[in-house]
Amino acid sequence: MSLPIFYINLARDTERRAKLEAELARQGLHGTRFEAVWWADLDEAEQQRLYSAELNARQYHATLVNGEKGCYASHLRLWQQLLASGAPAMVVLEDDVGLKDGFAALLEAIGQRAQPWDMVKLIGRERDTFRGRCLLDRGVELVDYKRVPSMTAGYAISRAGAQKLCQSRLPFGRPIDVDLRYWWENDLAVLGVSPAALVLDETSFTSSIGSKATAVRLGQRWRKFKRQCAYSALSAWHNARRGPLLK
């Protein structure tokens, strides 16, 4: 199964677009540009439909800034587009990534994977640890995380995964990279690949959709620490309850 590829990009970010399209062409792939959401351009009714300040106060240690809201809204709209299409899955890329050699073959292997999955992250962190792993493609393993990493620069998502997220994350209250880590809230089956199939471009250190969160204040640090502790405990408990994803 050949997975359609979409990449999130603002019309004005022509350099990012050109670089990513060159990366895709190098791999013999085609990607469809998807216009990123500029949060300030949305009317108040749409902003309130997408984002809940009440949820944000309950779920996260800081108020989301426009860049975080726009980023989440961009991904949400792509999930909705997948559901409106006839495709069984899609690949979502942000426009600040580079593709490692063998990326096309890896996507083909993911598309043919019989094991049910909702999301396969294409990039994680070097310190990630796994509950299980199996060979996916030459030199690349499919992995079941002990703790789902927060990176959302690239992933494959199935129709089932998009359905779960659209039903449970509208409106949203956390940044998308944090929200996807709470997989037990919607029984999201999140796998990954090791080593990562993507690298972050130097432009990834600057968000083009808007400013990122400001420095964390002392009170926010304490709330963040408590949430991190709670997350670790909940993640371990739910992993034990569900059992391994890879058999």
Side-chain angles (χ1 to χ4, degrees), residues 149-162:
S150 60
M151 303 181 76
T152 55
Y155 56 86
I157 183 168
S158 69
R159 291 184 66 85

Side-chain angles (χ1 to χ4, degrees), residues 5 20 23-24 26-27 29 91-104 106-107 120-125 140 151-156 193-201:
I5 301 170
L20 183 52
E23 285 280 284
L24 289 165
R26 181 175 63 87
Q27 300 267 352
L29 296 170
V91 174
V92 177
L93 302 175
E94 295 180 352
D95 64 0
D96 55 357
V97 297
L99 315 180
K100 290 187 178 180
D101 291 342
F103 185 74
L106 178 63
L107 294 189
V120 178
K121 284 179 171 275
L122 301 175
I123 186 169
R125 301 186 186 278
V140 181
M151 303 181 76
T152 55
Y155 56 86
V193 296
S194 180
L198 303 171
V199 293
L200 292 178
D201 187 83

